[in-house]
Amino acid sequence: QVQLVESGGGLVQPGGSLRLSCAASGMLFSIKVMRWYRQAPGKEREFVGFINWIGGNTYYADSVKGRFTISRDNTKNTVYLQMDNLKLEDTAVYYCNLNLLGTPVDYWGQGTQVTVSS
């Protein structure tokens, strides 16, 4: 099995920055892609962005484009979400998600709370 553990969430003021981490462990053969999602109270889970493990190609939702940056450390099986210029509407529980090469199974972390408030 695969386990994902998010960390780095917390309280930040509007315009501030925060970096989230998601460490993958377990039966990792070859990571295909890791993604970030978020879910605000009363809202559907929202796609934030992804990074392909090979090559490091990234893609972001329009709502975070230009403010968030996804990166990864291949040697540590860890993905990061650098969040800059945070807005009130960024408040949510942030989850990471992983697919391994050769399987459609989604793995999810437990989430980490990000609260943007003055």
Side-chain angles (χ1 to χ4, degrees):
Q1 65 272 16
V2 174
Q3 289 185 316
L4 302 174
V5 179
E6 300 97 334
S7 62
L11 177 64
V12 64
Q13 293 183 340
S17 297
L18 207 60
R19 190 176 82 150
L20 307 183
S21 299
C22 177
S25 63
M27 300 300 292
L28 302 174
F29 302 102
S30 183
I31 297 174
K32 179 182 180 180
V33 61
M34 292 186 72
R35 308 178 184 90
W36 286 98
Y37 288 82
R38 65 187 183 185
Q39 188 166 24
K43 296 183 63 179
E44 299 285 336
R45 185 172 57 190
E46 176 189 21
F47 168 78
V48 174
F50 70 75
I51 185 165
N52 289 319
W53 220 246
I54 303 301
N57 314 77
T58 55
Y59 180 82
Y60 305 93
D62 288 341
S63 59
V64 306
K65 195 173 299 181
R67 300 187 298 117
F68 290 10
T69 304
I70 299 174
S71 61
R72 87 272 191 252
D73 187 333
N74 291 18
T75 66
K76 297 194 292 187
N77 293 324
T78 298
V79 66
Y80 306 95
L81 180 65
Q82 177 66 45
M83 303 182 293
D84 298 317
N85 191 24
L86 283 160
K87 304 176 179 180
L88 295 177
E89 53 264 39
D90 295 320
T91 295
V93 177
Y94 283 72
Y95 300 91
C96 68
N97 160 273
L98 176 150
N99 286 124
L100 300 176
L101 195 65
T103 175
V105 177
D106 280 295
Y107 297 93
W108 293 89
Q110 84 290 345
T112 185
Q113 176 72 50
V114 173
T115 302
V116 183
S117 176
S118 59

